[in-house]
Amino acid sequence: MTVSHTVSEIEEIYNKFILVKKLDFTSRSLKDSEMNWNYKGKGEICVRQDNNDIYFSEDIYIDENTLLKDRKMWRFEKDVIEFYHFRNKNYEKIFTFTVKDGEFILKQKYECAPDCYSGSLKVKKENICFRINIRGKRKNEEITYIYTRS
């Protein structure tokens, strides 16, 4: 991303994303969920930049010995941040967040029948908190990623 003399909000956030190295992972099954997906873990991230896109290759260790691998892409545009998840051998756009005065507003929920996904993003000085909520006939899940530099 090209940096001008006055750094925009999106550029500041982009610069925080490229420094990510670690993550804390939490998944919780909430009321009426049939999934029982309650885990905590820690992970390492390999970050790659390509123009306005930042790719996260994540190795997440849960229960101290189970490795989950995940891939995400974040696209940074003038006034939005788009979140993509790697599935079915391709990056699929899940969320678009508009950015205004440091706040992230989810443009719309993501439908993947029979489930509905919503998300939130908070960028702080010390970390980036990304949360996904999944609601469906059998699911009521909350997945949280806390990204840090170290």
Side-chain angles (χ1 to χ4, degrees), residues 94-96 106-112 116-119 133 135:
I94 308 297
F95 299 132
T96 299
L106 181 65
K107 276 194 162 185
Q108 66 185 32
K109 293 179 180 181
Y110 173 78
E111 299 286 336
C112 184
C116 179
Y117 293 66
S118 62
N133 294 90
R135 305 278 188 270

Coordinates of all heavy atoms in Angstrom, one line a residue, residues 94-96 106-112 116-119 133 135:
I94 N -15.8 -12.9 2.9 CA -16.8 -13.2 3.9 C -17.4 -11.9 4.5 O -18.6 -11.8 4.5 CB -16.1 -14.0 5.1 CG1 -15.4 -15.2 4.6 CG2 -17.1 -14.3 6.2 CD1 -16.3 -16.3 4.0
F95 N -16.5 -11.0 4.8 CA -17.0 -9.7 5.4 C -16.3 -8.5 4.8 O -15.2 -8.6 4.3 CB -16.6 -9.6 6.9 CG -17.2 -10.7 7.8 CD1 -16.3 -11.4 8.7 CD2 -18.5 -11.0 7.8 CE1 -16.8 -12.3 9.5 CE2 -19.0 -12.0 8.6 CZ -18.2 -12.7 9.5
T96 N -17.1 -7.4 4.8 CA -16.6 -6.1 4.4 C -16.8 -5.2 5.6 O -18.0 -5.1 6.1 CB -17.2 -5.5 3.2 OG1 -17.0 -6.4 2.1 CG2 -16.7 -4.1 2.8
L106 N -19.6 -3.6 10.2 CA -19.8 -4.7 9.3 C -20.9 -4.3 8.3 O -22.0 -3.9 8.8 CB -20.2 -5.9 10.1 CG -20.5 -7.2 9.3 CD1 -19.2 -7.7 8.7 CD2 -21.0 -8.3 10.2
K107 N -20.6 -4.4 7.0 CA -21.6 -4.0 6.0 C -22.8 -4.9 6.0 O -23.9 -4.5 5.9 CB -20.9 -3.9 4.7 CG -20.2 -2.6 4.4 CD -19.9 -2.4 2.9 CE -19.7 -1.0 2.6 NZ -19.5 -0.8 1.2
Q108 N -22.5 -6.3 6.0 CA -23.6 -7.2 6.0 C -23.1 -8.6 6.5 O -21.9 -8.9 6.5 CB -24.2 -7.4 4.6 CG -23.3 -8.0 3.6 CD -23.9 -8.0 2.2 OE1 -24.6 -7.1 1.9 NE2 -23.5 -9.0 1.4
K109 N -24.0 -9.3 7.0 CA -23.7 -10.7 7.5 C -23.4 -11.6 6.3 O -23.8 -11.3 5.1 CB -24.9 -11.2 8.3 CG -25.1 -10.5 9.6 CD -26.2 -11.0 10.4 CE -26.4 -10.2 11.7 NZ -27.5 -10.7 12.5
Y110 N -22.8 -12.7 6.5 CA -22.4 -13.6 5.5 C -23.3 -14.9 5.7 O -23.4 -15.5 6.7 CB -21.0 -14.0 5.6 CG -20.5 -15.1 4.7 CD1 -20.3 -14.9 3.3 CD2 -20.4 -16.4 5.2 CE1 -19.9 -15.9 2.5 CE2 -19.9 -17.4 4.3 CZ -19.7 -17.2 3.0 OH -19.3 -18.2 2.2
E111 N -24.0 -15.2 4.6 CA -24.9 -16.4 4.6 C -24.3 -17.6 4.0 O -23.8 -17.5 2.8 CB -26.2 -16.1 3.9 CG -27.0 -14.9 4.5 CD -27.7 -15.2 5.8 OE1 -28.0 -16.4 6.0 OE2 -28.0 -14.3 6.6
C112 N -24.2 -18.7 4.7 CA -23.8 -19.9 4.2 C -24.7 -21.0 4.7 O -24.5 -21.5 5.8 CB -22.3 -20.2 4.6 SG -21.6 -21.7 3.9
C116 N -25.5 -18.4 9.5 CA -25.3 -17.0 9.2 C -24.1 -16.5 10.1 O -24.0 -16.8 11.3 CB -26.6 -16.2 9.6 SG -26.4 -14.5 9.4
Y117 N -23.2 -15.8 9.4 CA -21.9 -15.4 10.1 C -22.0 -13.9 10.2 O -22.4 -13.2 9.3 CB -20.7 -15.7 9.2 CG -20.4 -17.2 9.1 CD1 -21.3 -18.0 8.4 CD2 -19.2 -17.7 9.6 CE1 -21.0 -19.4 8.3 CE2 -18.9 -19.0 9.4 CZ -19.8 -19.9 8.8 OH -19.5 -21.2 8.6
S118 N -21.6 -13.4 11.4 CA -21.3 -12.0 11.6 C -19.9 -11.8 12.2 O -19.4 -12.8 12.7 CB -22.4 -11.4 12.5 OG -22.4 -12.0 13.8
G119 N -19.4 -10.6 12.2 CA -18.1 -10.5 12.7 C -17.9 -9.1 13.3 O -18.6 -8.1 13.0
N133 N -19.0 -14.7 14.8 CA -20.2 -15.4 15.4 C -20.9 -16.2 14.3 O -21.2 -15.6 13.3 CB -21.1 -14.4 16.1 CG -20.4 -13.7 17.2 OD1 -19.8 -12.6 17.1 ND2 -20.5 -14.3 18.4
R135 N -24.3 -18.5 13.7 CA -25.6 -18.9 14.2 C -26.3 -19.8 13.1 O -26.2 -19.5 11.9 CB -26.5 -17.7 14.4 CG -25.9 -16.6 15.3 CD -26.1 -17.0 16.8 NE -25.7 -15.9 17.6 CZ -24.5 -15.7 18.1 NH1 -23.6 -16.5 17.8 NH2 -24.2 -14.7 18.9

